[in-house]
Amino acid sequence: MQTAILWYRNDLRIHDHEPLVNCSNKIVIPVYCLDPSLHGKTSFGFPKTGVHRTKFILESLHDLRQSLQNIGGHLIVCHDNPAVAIPQLAKKFKAKEIHFHDEVTHEEIVCEKQVIAALDDSVKVFRYWGSTLMHDDDLPHDIDHCLNTFSKFRNRVEKKCSVRKTLPTPKKLNTPQIDSPGDIPTLEAFFADYRVEPRSVLSFTGGESAGQERVRQYLWEEDCLKEYFNTRNGLLGANYSSKFSAWLSLGCVSPRWIYEEVKKYEQRRHKNKSTYWLIFELLWRDFFRFVADDVGNQIFSPEGMRNEPVSWQGNEDAFVAWQEGQTGIPFIDANMRELNATGFMSNRGRQNVASFLTKDLKVNWLRGAEYFESMLIDYDVCSNYGNWCYVAGVGNDPRENRYFNVLKQALSYDPQGDYVRHWLPELAALPGKSIHYPFFLSQKTLREANIQLGHSYANPLIVPRSFHKLKPHNLD
Ligand SMILES: Cc1cc2nc3c(=O)[nH]c(=O)nc-3n(C[C@H](O)[C@H](O)[C@H](O)COP(=O)(O)OP(=O)(O)OC[C@H]3O[C@@H](n4cnc5c(N)ncnc54)[C@H](O)[C@@H]3O)c2cc1C
């Protein structure tokens, strides 16, 4: 029987996993590499993988090891660069094949090439497309023309493509007993100071089991999907949106499996705009991956996909204030503090903080995107850089110069200020919506709420001109 290496990457599951299925009639060596470069620095000097995502990855590895063991497989965890570890394993086990899911962005492609170059020529390479709802091979042949706007892409895909059925999970694997399969390190090996944040929307636990459980909970137990369209722009609590992103990003759940669950839900419970909209959002995720595949490194360039030079004048202090949630604009600060404390931020929050950084503070969007890369529990290279390009105005957005008036957004999506009060206790005594504009309030009101701007809470870095249009008449 042929021996095959199964290289796990951002696909930490056993359900709907084509490389695993195709290895299941061979002697299979499943391997994951905890590449030390994952804990290097980004170009602006942030830790490449911050504490929230590191914790999530380690938990996902424990879960994967257990799931593989349940079907007779043993996961090897190497603490090395894949280009070093995988060829050594291939030699040791006399493997003649390697199977893995494709990635589409620069660092991952370089890594793949290095692995392949370091393998013996006799090792056959099998690559698979696996992280999107739609399969790359099923897209209309001229899809490239549709990748300049999401609606063109979506219309085309909805008309011309269908979602492939999920693949069955193998019942039994044939893996040799391995003496030293490699420890999964503890989080403390990377970060000394992790603490659980009780204000988090959800306690995100990594792994396929927890991911599938979250899907079951959101759809079946709590029946939240029927309201998704109306709740999706929320900011507080576990269920305003699905929170599937962290598990999708690391491949702990397959988007096709989610699709099948949504279709079952439509048959058994409700079929409405909300059920359509969740799939619609998964198509956004697909879109950014296909765009990244199409445009290559443009998603990492300051000019983005538009390839038009933009001058970024924002300074260091402005960036640091944004990063630390100390800009003096409560809606921005609340969102950034949520990100820092939990690794998660709502989509509405992400759009606003990205717009504020790039359009109001005029800081280079790449710096914000790299900070997100470091901090997000659900970091996905294509969704992150694609969305940042979009909001910064250098992406494939048909609307020229989209701008978020942060005060307007705050008043619409957090009308009573509950979200800001949740994350900014120093402003909590300000009543109702006035918490969104302490800089417009009188000294008397601030004194009564025990707030001293510049001391207990930051003076605003800037009050954008657009805010003045919304300045309330009866402030106190
Ligand atoms: C500046 C910025 C950076 C972002 N970075 C990431 C990232 O690194 N990883 C990531 O998964 N998402 C990213 N997003 C997209 C979106 O904010 C998150 O997917 C969403 O907030 C996750 O919450 P949810 O799972 O509850 O989403 P839901 O609203 O429940 O949506 C369901 C799923 O659809 C997908 N989805 C929804 N919106 C988008 C979108 N705009 N782009 C791509 N996919 C989407 C996600 O996989 C999500 O889990 C970013 C958005 C912005 C504006």
Side-chain angles (χ1 to χ4, degrees), residues 228 241-245 248-249 278 281-282 284-285 288 344-347 350-351 354 372 376 378-380 383-384 387-388 391:
Y228 171 71
S241 66
S242 73
K243 314 293 186 307
F244 296 163
S245 54
L248 279 164
S249 300
L278 192 79
E281 294 296 358
L282 289 176
W284 265 110
R285 183 174 171 275
F288 285 123
F344 190 81
M345 189 194 292
S346 67
N347 187 52
R350 295 180 205 206
Q351 288 175 321
F372 268 35
L376 280 176
D378 62 14
Y379 168 65
D380 169 288
S383 291
N384 187 53
N387 272 291
W388 268 95
V391 180

Side-chain angles (χ1 to χ4, degrees), residues 6-8 11-15 17 19-21 23-24 28-32 60-77 169-175 178 208-209:
L6 168 58
W7 178 21
Y8 269 107
D11 51 355
L12 303 187
R13 63 174 185 271
I14 60 169
H15 72 278
H17 195 291
L20 176 66
V21 170
C23 286
S24 60
V28 53
I29 316 289
V31 54
Y32 180 84
S60 301
L61 287 175
H62 278 291
D63 190 62
L64 179 65
R65 181 165 264 176
Q66 186 58 54
S67 314
L68 285 168
Q69 222 153 42
N70 294 345
I71 52 171
H74 304 284
L75 179 69
I76 298 182
V77 175
T169 306
K171 292 207 167 25
K172 185 91 195 96
L173 291 183
N174 186 349
T175 305
I178 290 151
E208 181 176 17
S209 317

Side-chain angles (χ1 to χ4, degrees), residues 42 74 125 152 175 197 233 308 310 332 382:
T42 69
H74 304 284
V125 178
K152 266 204 238 163
T175 305
E197 172 52 65
N233 282 311
E308 284 166 17
V310 185
I332 298 301
C382 307

Side-chain angles (χ1 to χ4, degrees), residues 4-11 17-20 22-23 31 86 97-103 108-109 111-116 119 123-130:
I5 300 276
L6 168 58
W7 178 21
Y8 269 107
R9 309 175 79 194
N10 291 315
D11 51 355
H17 195 291
E18 199 176 354
L20 176 66
N22 284 355
C23 286
V31 54
I86 289 180
E97 296 180 1
I98 177 167
H99 297 247
F100 59 88
H101 273 126
D102 267 337
E103 292 285 344
E108 291 73 12
I109 294 173
C111 178
E112 269 164 41
K113 285 189 179 154
Q114 288 171 345
V115 168
I116 294 167
L119 283 167
V123 178
K124 274 173 92 176
V125 178
F126 295 85
R127 341 168 48 122
Y128 305 83
W129 186 271

